[in-house]
Amino acid sequence: MIGTAMSLSSESQVAESFPQSKCEIDYTILFLGCQPSRENARKTQLLWEWSARRLMETLPQAIKLHDVAEAAGVSIATASRALGGKKRVSRETAKIVLEAAERLGYRVDPIARALREGSTRTVGMVVPIIGNPHFAELIAAIEDELQAFGLELIISDSHAEVQQQAKRLRTLVDRRVDGILLVSHDAKKSVPAIRESMRAAPVVQIDRKVNGVKCDFVGIDDDPAMRLILDHLVEQGVHRVVLTSADDLNSVGRARREAFERHVSELGLTSDPHIIDNFSVEAGRDAADELLRRGDLPDAIVAGSDMNAVGVIARLRERGVDVPDQVLVTGFDGTQLSEIYNPPITTVRQPVGSLARNAVAFLLSRIADPTEPARDSRIATELVVRASTDGRALKS
């Protein structure tokens, strides 16, 4: 502001300096009627200050803790304890305080609370591809579990890149989350970032496991899950199979491939060479193209994920190959996508609710006692049989 600061205490002073004929006093349009010049620069300065003060008077003032305490008829300390969910406040008093806070529109300052309590009441989660239906369903289940404990979830997508995963983990640590749930991307290259994060916050791995770190893990056992699929295919009259799945960069891709190879051998099935890429729909399309180039299709295609299976079926349909009349196709994960696709896909359903409960329980336990030994929880899966493996054509 140009010139010496001066105060303008009343509207009458403004009226004296700016007659009604030259400048409207209504401060909402005050500056529309004035044309500042060198002669009235001082008056313009005073007018700006007065108008700003009047404007500030019309803005809503932030509700403070003492306002809530006064409205509830309690001390500031009691109001603070009630809003923080402390046990040293009676249920009746807490109800009165909470009602007063709601009535006034009071919101707890999360930064101040974090500094005071040493907790942000937030949990971070990093997933490789947030658009994967399996991860979307897992995120929803975890968020429900956390909210039951008054915790909020911060989601990060690593875009299936090790560098981005490390960056997301650092960001969550910088935000002082109380703990981190991690679906890792690379079974080996993820190790340094996980170790760095564990020095600042508890970390629980979920779905995919990285060895070489003493870290809690919650997932499924891929070996019996794959056996469920292959036993079902044998019952449908299948003799020749092929696997299309992800590579060994993550533990899930490796575990499903190893389980497939083991059980194919035990069941006496014939396996065509694997088609290995990733778990995406596009990878499934590419796998179908490769199978069509090879010529004679196997009896069944075992996809490493529901998304793979969708890509396979879509491409085969484009090329005039019917599923399941000409070839059977299975998925893996049990997402809603497998249920609504045409034909509905036979798959192994991951129990996302149980995965979420165990992961959150492990994390809360780790927050309470960081010295506990690392735990490994493997949850059983369920085979869901649908139209994509109707083997009547093979049996006839």
Side-chain angles (χ1 to χ4, degrees), residues 147-382:
Q147 288 186 348
F149 294 95
L151 299 170
E152 295 296 331
L153 185 63
I154 300 175
I155 303 297
S156 294
D157 189 337
S158 70
H159 303 289
E161 296 180 7
V162 173
Q163 295 81 1
Q164 290 298 320
Q165 177 181 277
K167 182 179 179 181
R168 302 295 186 268
L169 288 170
R170 284 194 298 271
T171 298
L172 291 174
V173 167
D174 290 344
R175 291 192 176 191
R176 301 186 181 278
V177 294
D178 294 342
I180 296 172
L181 296 167
L182 172 65
V183 182
S184 63
H185 169 58
D186 191 296
K188 294 181 179 178
K189 294 181 180 179
S190 295
V191 171
I194 295 175
R195 285 178 175 167
E196 180 183 349
S197 301
M198 289 174 65
R199 287 194 285 268
V203 177
V204 172
Q205 298 185 76
I206 184 168
D207 188 73
R208 302 177 181 181
K209 185 174 184 179
V210 173
N211 293 318
V213 291
K214 295 181 179 179
C215 189
D216 295 318
F217 172 75
V218 177
I220 65 167
D221 193 336
D222 290 283
D223 189 90
M226 186 60 73
R227 183 60 183 244
L228 289 173
I229 290 172
L230 292 173
D231 281 343
H232 168 68
L233 292 177
V234 169
E235 292 172 358
Q236 302 307 303
V238 167
H239 297 285
R240 182 170 151 232
V241 295
V242 68
L243 174 70
T244 169
S245 188
D247 57 30
D248 288 5
L249 279 179
N250 65 72
S251 62
V252 171
R254 182 181 65 254
R256 292 176 191 176
R257 175 187 57 77
E258 291 175 348
F260 176 86
E261 293 171 349
R262 179 165 43 255
H263 295 302
V264 161
S265 176
E266 291 175 357
L267 292 168
L269 296 170
T270 300
S271 174
D272 288 4
H274 309 325
I275 302 175
I276 301 299
D277 191 349
N278 59 55
F279 288 131
S280 69
V281 171
E282 190 57 39
R285 293 179 184 272
D286 293 342
D289 286 336
E290 172 61 23
L291 290 171
L292 291 167
R293 279 193 294 269
R294 291 179 182 180
D296 186 26
L297 289 173
D299 299 328
I301 302 169
V302 177
S305 71
D306 290 342
M307 293 178 70
N308 267 176
V310 166
V312 167
I313 296 172
R315 181 68 85 213
L316 291 176
R317 182 183 297 155
E318 291 171 6
R319 301 298 178 86
V321 178
D322 186 82
V323 176
D325 286 349
Q326 293 175 265
V327 62
L328 310 187
V329 178
T330 65
F332 205 112
D333 290 333
T335 61
Q336 291 184 352
L337 180 64
S338 67
E339 183 178 357
I340 65 175
Y341 198 69
N342 183 29
I345 301 169
T346 292
T347 185
V348 167
R349 177 182 291 147
Q350 294 207 43
V352 291
S354 297
L355 291 170
R357 280 191 295 274
N358 283 21
V360 170
F362 276 13
L363 187 62
L364 296 179
S365 175
R366 181 64 56 190
I367 292 171
D369 184 3
T371 65
E372 286 188 347
R375 294 151 295 187
D376 189 310
S377 172
R378 307 280 177 158
I379 302 173
T381 56
E382 173 191 7

Side-chain angles (χ1 to χ4, degrees), residues 83-125:
L83 293 169
K86 305 299 183 183
K87 295 181 179 179
R88 290 178 292 168
V89 179
S90 69
R91 183 176 301 178
E92 181 181 353
T93 299
K95 183 174 182 292
I96 294 172
V97 173
L98 291 171
E99 287 176 350
E102 182 68 23
R103 186 170 63 254
L104 295 173
Y106 175 76
R107 295 292 181 267
V108 176
D109 184 341
I111 297 176
R113 182 176 62 190
L115 293 173
R116 183 173 63 253
E117 299 179 357
S119 169
T120 59
R121 298 188 185 181
T122 58
V123 169
M125 184 173 182

Side-chain angles (χ1 to χ4, degrees), residues 70-83:
E70 182 178 345
V74 299
S75 68
I76 293 178
T78 298
S80 177
R81 287 195 294 270
L83 293 169

Side-chain angles (χ1 to χ4, degrees), residues 1-6 40-46 48-49:
M1 186 178 292
I2 301 173
T4 304
M6 300 182 65
N40 65 11
R42 174 179 171 277
K43 294 180 180 180
T44 303
Q45 173 188 333
L46 297 178
W48 272 102
E49 182 179 341

